[in-house]
Amino acid sequence: MQPPVEARTCLIVDDSRIIRKVARRIVEGLGFEVDEAADGAEALAYCATATPEVILLDWNMPVMDGLTFLRRLRAQPGGDRPKVLFCTIETEAERIEEALEAGADEYVMKPFDGEILESKLAEAGII
């Protein structure tokens, strides 16, 4: 008897309910179980109780922005495990470099579609 296959998990962190809904539809279509957070503080609290395999992370959010969340996540025990994809409108090279230096695994420009997100997940070695 084979052990049960553990579900792949993804946390979508974005203050836009519409973006979360679109991203959820795409990621669920790739076989992930999805949870959502509206800001970095909510996401950090979530990660304290469960470690998702993948985090899709917005940069500009109220309460705690994505970069602050990422730095705090990576500083926690086990915080190096989730693959983090920044999904943002920030397009300047310096900002992308800053996100990668803080521990992001990949960077996705908004707006994105299923094809773009799937290719970025593949580049990050997730699918």
Side-chain angles (χ1 to χ4, degrees), residues 50-118:
T51 305
E53 181 180 354
V54 181
I55 299 172
L56 300 183
L57 181 63
D58 185 25
W59 192 306
N60 300 302
M61 297 178 288
V63 185
M64 182 188 295
D65 66 69
L67 194 63
T68 302
F69 161 79
L70 181 58
R71 288 182 172 136
R72 290 184 184 175
L73 173 72
R74 293 302 194 215
Q76 293 181 346
D80 58 334
R81 284 202 309 271
K83 294 283 188 178
V84 177
L85 277 72
F86 254 109
C87 298
T88 181
I89 59 170
E90 296 289 342
T91 58
E92 295 173 19
E94 304 83 46
R95 300 292 270 178
I96 295 169
E97 188 176 321
E98 189 177 7
L100 296 173
E101 285 175 0
D105 295 285
E106 196 50 72
Y107 204 91
V108 182
M109 303 294 181
K110 287 180 182 175
F112 55 83
D113 60 19
E115 191 177 310
I116 291 168
L117 195 54
E118 190 171 353

Side-chain angles (χ1 to χ4, degrees), residues 26-45:
I26 293 167
V27 176
E28 284 179 341
L30 297 172
F32 286 83
E33 285 187 9
V34 176
D35 280 307
E36 300 177 13
D39 60 61
E42 198 177 301
L44 209 53

